[in-house]
């Protein structure tokens, strides 16, 4: 009806204005050193944990799930609300097309259309302080009480995750089976105490909140038991840390060469 079309147009107009305001806010950091969009950028600055000068910059402010009203979070909340209205009015397809065009048209705003989710232990990290077996790993310090404990030690992937296609094109998130967030971990530890089927459920929820299609979700984990539940979900999941193993878990952690943009669900063997 005419009234329905008018409501839809009004909702779309309001969304465009809000999106423009948030785009400007996201492009204006609070200080020259701090660049953080809900885990999609590295963070450095006075509030960050001080690391060895030889290390890559690591976003230490992401040690707990971020539920703040940052520009990205607020955009996701507003988008979800307007999409609900569009569904109720039966015009969701038109709304999706309009918002997609609006996002692509914002000058200086890069649209992140995919989502990379990383396990932490023995994926982003390797066995603590073992640089003999794993010479490419780096001890960065801070206590890590997983699998026997020791100092946080980053795998090859952990040291270079912000130089991969995931950081260039996608949202970057972390889901850990461990109950505690550890310091000096380079990806956001958004979800803790989450194992097996829980990871698939949380990944689906993350994608929904970020407006990412399931076919553009990529989960990376060292344990096959965390990968198999993704079968039949429409999401992609790949077991990595395959080159070095300690029983059913990774040993040295993952390498960047394992981070492939591949469809489907795969395990080491």
């Amino acid at each position: 009806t005419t009234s329905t079309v008018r409501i839809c147009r009004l909702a779309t107009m309001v969304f465009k204005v809000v999106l423009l305001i948030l785009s400007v806010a996201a492009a204006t950091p609070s200080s020259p050193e701090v660049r953080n969009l809900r885990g999609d950028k590295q963070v450095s600055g006075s509030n960050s944990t001080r690391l060895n000068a030889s290390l890559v910059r690591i976003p230490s402010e992401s040690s707990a799930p971020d539920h703040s009203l940052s520009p990205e979070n607020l955009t996701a909340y507003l988008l979800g609300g307007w999409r609900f209205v569009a569904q109720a009015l039966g015009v969701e397809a038109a709304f999706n097309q309009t918002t997609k065009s609006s996002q692509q048209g914002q000058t200086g705003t890069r649209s992140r259309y995919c989502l990379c989710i990383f396990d932490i232990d023995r994926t982003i990290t390797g066995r603590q302080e073992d640089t003999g077996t794993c010479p490419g790993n780096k001890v960065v310090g801070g206590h890590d009480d997983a699998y026997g404990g020791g100092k946080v030690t980053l795998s090859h992937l952990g040291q270079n995750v912000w130089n991969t296609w995931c950081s260039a094109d996608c949202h970057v998130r972390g889901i850990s089976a461990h109950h505690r967030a550890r310091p000096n971990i380079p990806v956001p530890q958004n979800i803790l105490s989450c194992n097996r089927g829980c990871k698939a459920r949380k990944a689906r929820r993350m994608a929904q909140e970020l407006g990412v299609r399931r076919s553009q979700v990529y989960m990376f984990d060292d344990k096959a038991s965390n990968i198999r539940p993704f079968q039949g979900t429409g999401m992609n999941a790949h077991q990595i840390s395959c080159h070095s193993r300690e029983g059913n878990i990774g040993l040295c952690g993952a390498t960047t060469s394992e981070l492939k943009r591949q469809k489907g669900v795969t395990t080491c063997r």
Side-chain angles (χ1 to χ4, degrees), residues 57-86:
R57 287 178 294 171
I58 296 175
S60 60
E61 293 179 357
S62 57
S63 60
D66 179 6
H67 300 294
S68 63
L69 287 180
S70 63
E72 186 187 9
N73 286 356
L74 188 54
T75 300
Y77 297 151
L78 291 170
L79 181 59
W82 287 120
R83 181 173 285 111
F84 177 79
V85 173

Coordinates of all heavy atoms in Angstrom, one line a residue, residues 57-86:
R57 N 52.3 -4.8 17.0 CA 51.3 -4.1 17.9 C 50.1 -5.1 18.2 O 49.6 -5.6 17.2 CB 50.8 -2.8 17.3 CG 51.8 -1.7 17.3 CD 51.2 -0.5 16.7 NE 51.1 -0.7 15.2 CZ 50.4 0.1 14.4 NH1 49.9 1.2 14.9 NH2 50.3 -0.2 13.2
I58 N 49.8 -5.2 19.4 CA 48.7 -6.2 19.8 C 47.6 -5.5 20.5 O 47.9 -4.7 21.5 CB 49.3 -7.3 20.7 CG1 50.3 -8.1 19.9 CG2 48.2 -8.2 21.2 CD1 51.0 -9.2 20.7
P59 N 46.3 -5.6 20.1 CA 45.2 -5.0 20.8 C 44.9 -5.6 22.2 O 44.1 -6.5 22.2 CB 44.1 -5.1 19.8 CG 44.4 -6.3 19.1 CD 45.9 -6.4 19.0
S60 N 45.5 -5.1 23.2 CA 45.3 -5.7 24.5 C 44.0 -5.2 25.2 O 43.6 -5.8 26.2 CB 46.4 -5.3 25.5 OG 46.5 -3.9 25.6
E61 N 43.3 -4.2 24.6 CA 42.1 -3.7 25.2 C 40.9 -4.6 25.0 O 39.8 -4.4 25.4 CB 41.8 -2.3 24.7 CG 42.8 -1.3 25.2 CD 42.5 0.1 24.6 OE1 41.5 0.2 23.8 OE2 43.1 1.1 24.9
S62 N 41.1 -5.7 24.2 CA 40.0 -6.5 23.8 C 40.0 -7.8 24.6 O 39.6 -8.8 24.2 CB 40.2 -6.9 22.3 OG 41.4 -7.5 22.1
S63 N 40.5 -7.7 25.9 CA 40.5 -8.9 26.7 C 39.2 -9.3 27.3 O 39.1 -10.3 27.9 CB 41.5 -8.6 27.9 OG 41.0 -7.5 28.7
A64 N 38.1 -8.6 27.0 CA 36.8 -9.0 27.4 C 35.8 -8.6 26.4 O 36.1 -7.7 25.5 CB 36.4 -8.3 28.7
P65 N 34.7 -9.3 26.3 CA 33.7 -8.9 25.3 C 33.3 -7.5 25.4 O 33.2 -6.9 26.4 CB 32.5 -9.9 25.7 CG 33.1 -11.0 26.4 CD 34.3 -10.4 27.1
D66 N 33.1 -6.9 24.2 CA 32.9 -5.4 24.1 C 31.4 -5.2 23.8 O 30.9 -5.6 22.7 CB 33.7 -4.8 23.0 CG 33.4 -3.3 22.8 OD1 32.7 -2.8 23.6 OD2 34.0 -2.8 21.8
H67 N 30.7 -4.7 24.8 CA 29.2 -4.4 24.6 C 29.0 -2.9 24.6 O 27.9 -2.5 24.9 CB 28.4 -5.1 25.7 CG 28.6 -6.6 25.7 ND1 28.1 -7.4 24.7 CD2 29.2 -7.4 26.6 CE1 28.4 -8.7 25.0 NE2 29.1 -8.7 26.2
S68 N 30.0 -2.1 24.4 CA 29.9 -0.7 24.4 C 29.1 -0.2 23.2 O 29.1 -0.9 22.2 CB 31.3 0.0 24.5 OG 32.0 -0.3 23.3
L69 N 28.6 1.0 23.3 CA 27.9 1.6 22.2 C 28.9 2.4 21.3 O 28.9 3.6 21.1 CB 26.9 2.6 22.7 CG 25.6 2.0 23.3 CD1 24.7 3.1 23.7 CD2 25.0 1.0 22.3
S70 N 29.9 1.6 20.7 CA 30.8 2.1 19.8 C 30.1 2.3 18.5 O 29.0 1.8 18.3 CB 32.0 1.1 19.5 OG 31.4 -0.1 19.0
P71 N 30.7 3.1 17.5 CA 30.0 3.4 16.3 C 29.6 2.1 15.6 O 28.5 2.0 15.0 CB 31.0 4.1 15.4 CG 31.8 4.9 16.5 CD 31.9 3.9 17.7
E72 N 30.5 1.1 15.6 CA 30.1 -0.2 14.9 C 29.0 -0.9 15.6 O 28.1 -1.4 14.9 CB 31.4 -1.1 14.8 CG 31.1 -2.3 13.9 CD 32.2 -3.3 13.9 OE1 33.2 -3.1 14.7 OE2 32.2 -4.2 13.2
N73 N 29.1 -1.0 16.9 CA 28.0 -1.7 17.7 C 26.7 -1.0 17.5 O 25.7 -1.7 17.2 CB 28.4 -1.7 19.2 CG 29.5 -2.7 19.5 OD1 29.9 -3.4 18.6 ND2 29.9 -2.7 20.7
L74 N 26.7 0.3 17.6 CA 25.4 1.0 17.5 C 24.8 0.9 16.1 O 23.6 0.8 15.9 CB 25.7 2.5 17.8 CG 24.4 3.4 17.9 CD1 23.4 2.8 18.9 CD2 24.8 4.8 18.3
T75 N 25.7 0.9 15.1 CA 25.2 0.7 13.7 C 24.5 -0.6 13.6 O 23.5 -0.8 13.0 CB 26.4 0.8 12.7 OG1 27.0 2.1 12.8 CG2 25.9 0.6 11.3
A76 N 25.2 -1.7 14.2 CA 24.6 -3.0 14.1 C 23.2 -3.1 14.8 O 22.3 -3.7 14.3 CB 25.5 -4.0 14.7
Y77 N 23.1 -2.4 16.0 CA 21.9 -2.5 16.7 C 20.7 -1.8 15.9 O 19.6 -2.3 15.8 CB 22.0 -1.7 18.0 CG 23.0 -2.4 19.0 CD1 23.7 -1.7 19.9 CD2 23.2 -3.8 18.9 CE1 24.7 -2.3 20.7 CE2 24.2 -4.4 19.8 CZ 24.8 -3.6 20.7 OH 25.8 -4.2 21.5
L78 N 21.1 -0.6 15.3 CA 20.1 0.2 14.5 C 19.7 -0.6 13.3 O 18.5 -0.7 12.9 CB 20.7 1.5 14.2 CG 20.8 2.5 15.3 CD1 21.6 3.7 14.8 CD2 19.5 3.0 15.9
L79 N 20.7 -1.2 12.6 CA 20.4 -1.9 11.4 C 19.4 -3.1 11.7 O 18.5 -3.4 11.0 CB 21.7 -2.4 10.8 CG 21.6 -3.2 9.5 CD1 20.9 -2.4 8.4 CD2 22.9 -3.7 9.0
G80 N 19.7 -3.8 12.8 CA 18.9 -4.9 13.2 C 17.4 -4.5 13.5 O 16.5 -5.1 13.1
G81 N 17.3 -3.3 14.2 CA 16.0 -2.8 14.5 C 15.2 -2.4 13.2 O 14.0 -2.8 13.1
W82 N 15.8 -1.7 12.3 CA 15.1 -1.4 11.1 C 14.8 -2.6 10.2 O 13.8 -2.6 9.5 CB 16.0 -0.4 10.3 CG 16.0 1.0 10.9 CD1 17.1 1.7 11.3 CD2 14.9 1.9 11.1 NE1 16.8 2.9 11.8 CE2 15.4 3.1 11.7 CE3 13.5 1.8 10.9 CZ2 14.6 4.1 12.1 CZ3 12.7 2.8 11.3 CH2 13.2 4.0 11.8
R83 N 15.7 -3.6 10.2 CA 15.4 -4.8 9.5 C 14.2 -5.5 10.0 O 13.4 -6.0 9.3 CB 16.6 -5.7 9.5 CG 16.4 -7.0 8.7 CD 17.7 -7.9 8.6 NE 18.6 -7.3 7.6 CZ 19.7 -6.7 8.0 NH1 20.1 -6.7 9.2 NH2 20.5 -6.2 7.0
F84 N 14.0 -5.5 11.4 CA 12.9 -6.1 12.0 C 11.6 -5.4 11.5 O 10.6 -6.0 11.2 CB 13.0 -6.0 13.5 CG 11.8 -6.5 14.2 CD1 11.6 -7.9 14.4 CD2 10.8 -5.7 14.7 CE1 10.5 -8.4 15.1 CE2 9.7 -6.2 15.4 CZ 9.5 -7.5 15.6
V85 N 11.6 -4.0 11.5 CA 10.5 -3.3 11.0 C 10.2 -3.6 9.5 O 9.0 -3.8 9.1 CB 10.8 -1.7 11.1 CG1 9.6 -0.9 10.4 CG2 10.9 -1.4 12.6
A86 N 11.3 -3.7 8.7 CA 11.1 -4.0 7.3 C 10.4 -5.4 7.1 O 9.6 -5.6 6.3 CB 12.4 -4.0 6.6

